[in-house]
Amino acid sequence: SSRRRHTRYISVTGVQTCALPILVVAAWFTVNKSSVGYYAIISSLAIIGFAAPSYVAIYKSKRGQQSIAILIGLYFFAILFETFAIKTGWPYGSFYYGDSIGYRFFNTTPWTVGFAFPPILLLAYYVGQKLHQKKLYLYLVAGITAMLVDLVLDPAATTLKLWTWDKGGQFYGVPLQNFVGWVIAGFIGAIIIHQILKNGRFTKAVGYSGLLILWFWTWVNLFLGQIIPFFIGIVLSVIFYYVVMTNRATIVRWQRKK
């Protein structure tokens, strides 16, 4: 019923509103306490915590083999794609990880990347799914969405030295090639998700982790004094929140009016 949906919307919005001050405090801690002992353990747990809402949503909406296939498939895609990128310098550019986000497979890719990367892909795919039904457009929107999130994430993570670019870059130390790489990664990730889903649809909750990650890194940029990524994060937060939380029929009507 409409009353039940309205109550559920208020409940979800209330939880997200309560999460915001927690994210602000966590962002301040990340910037000011990065040298604290056990930082790798704390950051690893935080990455899993960020991923949890979307993973739970997938399990609830796609029970059984399909949910397991999505989660395992995205984990190994993230690890293998990132390892390939580090070894070859393509598509992001040459970079390497430090030790602050967990043990590195093959002394290359932290195991936590398999939890950090998929929530962004899931948000990107859900945004694409809401805006377009044609597969090619969906994949393109997903790739661009992933890149836009990285415009906020990468400058902060680079400044905090979670990873290091061999030759630096033009945007807060991040090379522009990296953002092209994220379009490619988001595009491929969307193809993988779509093939596993077999034309099924996600619930909006699958995008919650991506939103939390975006909000967190937005505030990290503020505390680092990186104003441009901060304002990009604010704008994207408003846009993506609207897309995720709004009924698809409303968005379709808005697109037709344009």
Side-chain angles (χ1 to χ4, degrees):
S1 67
S2 60
R3 180 180 297 179
R4 184 177 300 171
R5 287 195 298 269
H6 181 66
T7 301
R8 187 181 300 135
Y9 175 82
I10 293 175
S11 175
V12 169
T13 303
V15 170
Q16 293 168 338
T17 302
C18 292
L20 187 56
I22 297 174
L23 291 175
V24 173
V25 172
W28 181 89
F29 175 85
T30 300
V31 172
N32 292 281
K33 301 292 184 180
S34 59
S35 60
V36 71
Y38 306 108
Y39 184 76
I41 296 175
I42 295 172
S43 61
S44 298
L45 292 175
I47 289 170
I48 295 174
F50 275 123
S54 290
Y55 284 20
V56 171
I58 290 175
Y59 176 75
K60 286 185 175 181
S61 63
K62 304 293 177 185
R63 293 182 182 275
Q65 294 182 345
Q66 196 174 52
S67 64
I68 295 173
I70 292 172
L71 297 179
I72 293 178
L74 289 181
Y75 183 90
F76 282 103
F77 167 68
I79 295 294
L80 294 175
F81 192 87
E82 203 78 350
T83 301
F84 174 82
I86 293 169
K87 294 293 187 182
T88 65
W90 189 90
Y92 304 124
S94 298
F95 74 105
Y96 59 90
Y97 280 95
D99 297 321
S100 56
I101 56 174
Y103 170 80
R104 289 177 291 169
F105 290 129
F106 315 113
N107 200 35
T108 302
T109 305
W111 67 274
T112 51
V113 167
F115 292 96
F117 198 11
I120 298 173
L121 295 179
L122 291 168
L123 171 64
Y125 183 85
Y126 187 73
V127 170
Q129 195 176 53
K130 289 285 286 287
L131 297 180
H132 288 285
Q133 291 297 292
K134 293 183 178 180
K135 288 191 292 186
L136 179 60
Y137 292 130
L138 190 163
Y139 301 156
L140 285 173
V141 170
I144 293 170
T145 299
M147 179 271 292
L148 291 174
V149 173
D150 192 60
L151 282 173
V152 180
L153 188 159
D154 225 296
T158 297
T159 299
L160 293 173
K161 301 189 183 303
L162 300 186
W163 50 82
T164 302
W165 298 95
D166 289 349
K167 298 181 180 179
Q170 301 86 351
F171 187 66
Y172 292 91
V174 182
L176 298 182
Q177 178 186 342
N178 168 71
F179 302 111
V180 177
W182 269 83
V183 176
I184 295 171
F187 189 96
I188 297 173
I191 293 175
I192 293 172
I193 295 171
H194 195 78
Q195 292 303 311
I196 297 174
L197 272 181
K198 298 178 180 178
N199 296 319
R201 298 188 67 83
F202 282 134
T203 62
K204 67 178 65 174
V206 80
Y208 290 172
S209 289
L211 289 175
L212 292 174
I213 290 169
L214 176 60
W215 295 346
F216 171 76
W217 288 108
T218 296
W219 287 102
V220 170
N221 277 296
L222 176 64
F223 293 131
L224 288 171
Q226 300 184 161
I227 301 302
I228 294 176
F230 168 71
F231 279 112
I232 293 174
I234 292 294
V235 173
L236 292 179
S237 295
V238 173
I239 294 173
F240 292 156
Y241 185 83
Y242 174 81
V243 172
V244 170
M245 298 302 294
T246 303
N247 185 282
R248 185 179 184 279
T250 303
I251 295 176
V252 170
R253 287 196 298 270
W254 175 76
Q255 289 175 326
R256 286 173 178 171
K257 287 180 181 179
K258 289 182 65 179

